[in-house]
Amino acid sequence: MINAYDILETIRMIQDECLDIRTITMGISLLDCIDSDIDKACDKVYEKITRKAQNLVSTGEHIEKEYGIPIIHKRISVTPIAIVSAACQTKDPVRFALTLQKAADACGVNFIGGYSALVQKGFSAGDLDLINSIPEALSRTSNICSSVNVGSTRTGINMDAVALMGKIVKKSAEITADRDCIGPAKLVVFCNAVEDNPFMAGAFHGVGEPDCAINVGVSGPGVVRAAVAKYPDANISEIADVIKKTAFKITRMGQLVGSRASEMLDIPFGIVDLSLAPTPAVGDSVAHILEELGLETCGTHGTTAALALLNDAVKKGGVMASSHIGGLSGAFIPVSEDAGMINAARAGVLQLDKLEAMTAVCSVGLDMICVPGDIEPSTISAIIADEACIGMVNNKTTAVRLIPAIGKKEGDMLEFGGLLGSGPVMSIHKGSSEKFISRGGRLPAPMHSVKN
C-alpha cells in the first residue's frame, strides 16, 4: 500500500534529485510495409508510424500531468531499415531516412531509431547499401538515429563490418563538421544488440518483438547519489542494499508509467529498462555516484569496482520491481552526457583505457566520446573491435559511439546541446592498427558460445 511517506519521498526525488522517466519509446514493426516499389514502401512506413504513434506525445504529456512525473523524451523505434529496404528494386535507403524524419515531425517525437543493420555474421541483401548511406542519412535528418550490430557471443565478430564502420563514423563526422560533428553522435556500433532497447541512439524494434509495444527507460542517478550520501560510514554490503532499495522505487515508477501508457494507447507493454541514464545537469551524474562511494575522482583506481557494485545493485533492485525488465538495464557512462565524467575527463584522470575497463562491468560501452579529428578510420575500427570483444567474451551488450572532432585536438570541446551535452576531446594511442583491421574475416566466437 502506498503511504504518505512514499508519496512525499517521490515528490522530493522529482524536485530535488533529478528523478525522471527518460523516455517512453514505442516500438513499431515495419515488416508488413516491405514492398519491391520503394515509393509504396515509404508510403506504407509513413502511414503505419503516424497511425500507431499519433497519440504518443499527447499520452506522455497526459501522464506527466496525471502523476507529476517528468517524461523527458517520447521516441519511436522501428524494424531495422536494412531489412525493410532489402526488397526494394531501387537501392536508395536514404529515402527511408527522409520518410522516418517526416513521420517524426508529424508525430512530434524527439527521436526515431532503427536506421539499422544487423551484420554480426555477414552482409545480407540491403545491409551494405544502408551502412554506406548512414553518413548522408544522418546529415540530412535531425531526429533519426542509426545503429549497426557487428558481433555477438554466438557468432563472433564480423571484422569486415568493423573495418567499414570505422570509415562510416569518420565520414559521418566530416560531413557534419559544420554542426559540431553531430552525425556520429546519432550512430552506435553494437555487439550483442538487444531488440527492445528504448534508449537512443541504439534503439530498434527487433523481428522477435510484437507488432507494436511500449518500452520505458527510467533514470535516476541523482536519486541514487542522494541515497548513498545518507550513509557515509556504511560498509559495501550496506551500501549495496541502499542502492537496491532505491533502484526498486525508481523501477516501480517506470512500471507505473509504462502500464498507464500501454492502457491509454491500447498497445502491449513491453519492458522497463532500468539503466541509470545521466544528463549534463548538475546532480544527475553516474560519475558523482561513484565519487559518493568514496572515490576522489571518477577514473581513479577503484572506479571499475565501484561501478560493478552500482550496476549489480541497480539490476537486483530493479528485477524485484517489475516482471518485465529488458533493454540494456544497468549504468550508462556516456562522457559528454554526464557532468561528472566531463570533469574527470578534462582533469585527465578519466581516460579512454579506463573507460574501456569500466565497460566490462557496466551496461553498455564507450559512449559519446570525442576523439581528435585526425583519427584514422582504422583506429576507430580497432576501438570498435576491442569493445566488441569485451561484449562477445562476457556475453553482454557493448557499444561504441565515438565522435571524431573534425578540426579539433585533444583538450578542445565539442558542444551538442540538450541531453547530448558537451564533450572534451580525449587522447588516443598513436600506434597504427591498420594492418590488423585490414585483414578482415570473422573473429571466432568464444568457446562458451557452444552451449545448448
Side-chain angles (χ1 to χ4, degrees), residues 72-405:
I72 306 303
H73 272 187
K74 294 82 177 176
R75 303 167 176 172
I76 296 169
S77 64
V78 299
T79 305
I81 292 298
I83 297 173
V84 181
S85 66
C88 295
Q89 295 177 352
T90 302
K91 303 302 180 184
D92 185 10
V94 174
R95 293 270 296 278
F96 285 95
L98 298 176
T99 299
L100 294 178
Q101 181 62 58
K102 182 181 176 183
D105 293 338
C107 296
V109 296
N110 301 97
F111 289 114
I112 288 188
Y115 198 77
S116 308
L118 311 178
V119 296
Q120 56 267 27
K121 205 171 182 179
F123 302 101
S124 61
D127 289 334
L128 281 173
D129 290 323
L130 182 128
I131 291 173
N132 285 317
S133 75
I134 287 173
E136 181 185 356
L138 295 182
S139 175
R140 294 179 64 184
T141 60
S142 56
N143 300 84
I144 307 307
C145 291
S146 180
S147 60
V148 177
N149 191 63
V150 298
S152 75
T153 298
R154 281 286 192 173
T155 65
I157 298 171
N158 181 351
M159 292 299 291
D160 294 316
V162 169
L164 177 58
M165 289 312 299
K167 299 172 183 176
I168 294 299
V169 170
K170 182 67 178 285
K171 183 178 179 181
S172 185
E174 289 173 341
I175 68 174
T176 57
D178 59 330
R179 287 158 279 170
D180 276 321
C181 307
I182 191 66
K186 300 182 290 178
L187 170 61
V188 178
V189 185
F190 275 119
C191 178
N192 288 321
V194 297
E195 296 188 325
D196 56 2
N197 167 25
F199 285 104
M200 300 298 170
F204 64 86
H205 191 68
V207 295
E209 293 289 299
D211 186 63
C212 198
I214 290 292
N215 300 318
V216 172
V218 300
S219 183
V223 177
V224 175
R225 182 193 182 190
V228 171
K230 295 174 184 176
Y231 300 89
D233 300 320
N235 64 36
I236 294 297
S237 298
E238 293 165 342
I239 283 295
D241 284 338
V242 168
I243 296 172
K244 282 189 287 186
K245 292 174 183 176
T246 306
F248 177 88
K249 296 172 184 176
I250 294 170
T251 307
R252 290 297 286 175
M253 188 181 75
Q255 173 84 17
L256 171 67
V257 169
S259 298
R260 183 70 174 121
S262 171
E263 176 188 353
M264 292 180 65
L265 292 165
D266 194 25
I267 288 172
F269 174 57
I271 57 93
V272 177
D273 185 322
L274 49 93
S275 298
L276 292 180
T279 73
V282 175
D284 202 23
S285 162
V286 170
H288 288 159
I289 299 174
L290 304 180
E291 291 166 1
E292 198 67 57
L293 290 171
L295 304 174
E296 182 176 355
T297 305
C298 178
T300 193
H301 304 294
T303 299
T304 305
L307 183 59
L309 161 69
L310 173 64
N311 210 50
D312 178 71
V314 165
K315 290 184 178 184
K316 287 176 177 174
V319 296
M320 291 296 293
S322 174
S323 298
H324 301 286
I325 298 295
L328 300 169
S329 290
F332 286 148
I333 52 171
V335 175
S336 81
E337 298 175 20
D338 186 308
M341 295 284 180
I342 294 170
N343 293 337
R346 297 188 74 173
V349 179
L350 184 64
Q351 299 180 348
L352 194 58
D353 288 344
K354 186 60 176 179
L355 282 163
E356 184 179 297
M358 292 164 67
T359 64
V361 300
C362 77
S363 65
V364 197
L366 298 172
D367 196 17
M368 287 301 292
I369 296 172
C370 303
V371 292
D374 61 357
I375 187 173
E376 292 294 330
S378 60
T379 301
I380 299 173
S381 295
I383 294 170
I384 292 170
D386 284 345
E387 191 61 31
C389 281
I390 290 176
M392 178 184 72
V393 172
N394 289 291
N395 197 23
K396 68 186 293 294
T397 302
T398 53
V400 173
R401 187 160 45 150
L402 293 184
I403 301 97

Side-chain angles (χ1 to χ4, degrees), residues 404-436:
I406 306 302
K408 296 183 183 292
K409 61 185 185 302
E410 180 185 342
D412 292 341
M413 294 288 293
L414 272 182
E415 300 286 344
F416 304 111
L419 287 180
L420 297 179
S422 61
V425 178
M426 301 180 69
S427 63
I428 58 173
H429 293 297
K430 303 302 181 185
S432 174
S433 310
E434 176 67 39
K435 185 173 181 180
F436 173 69

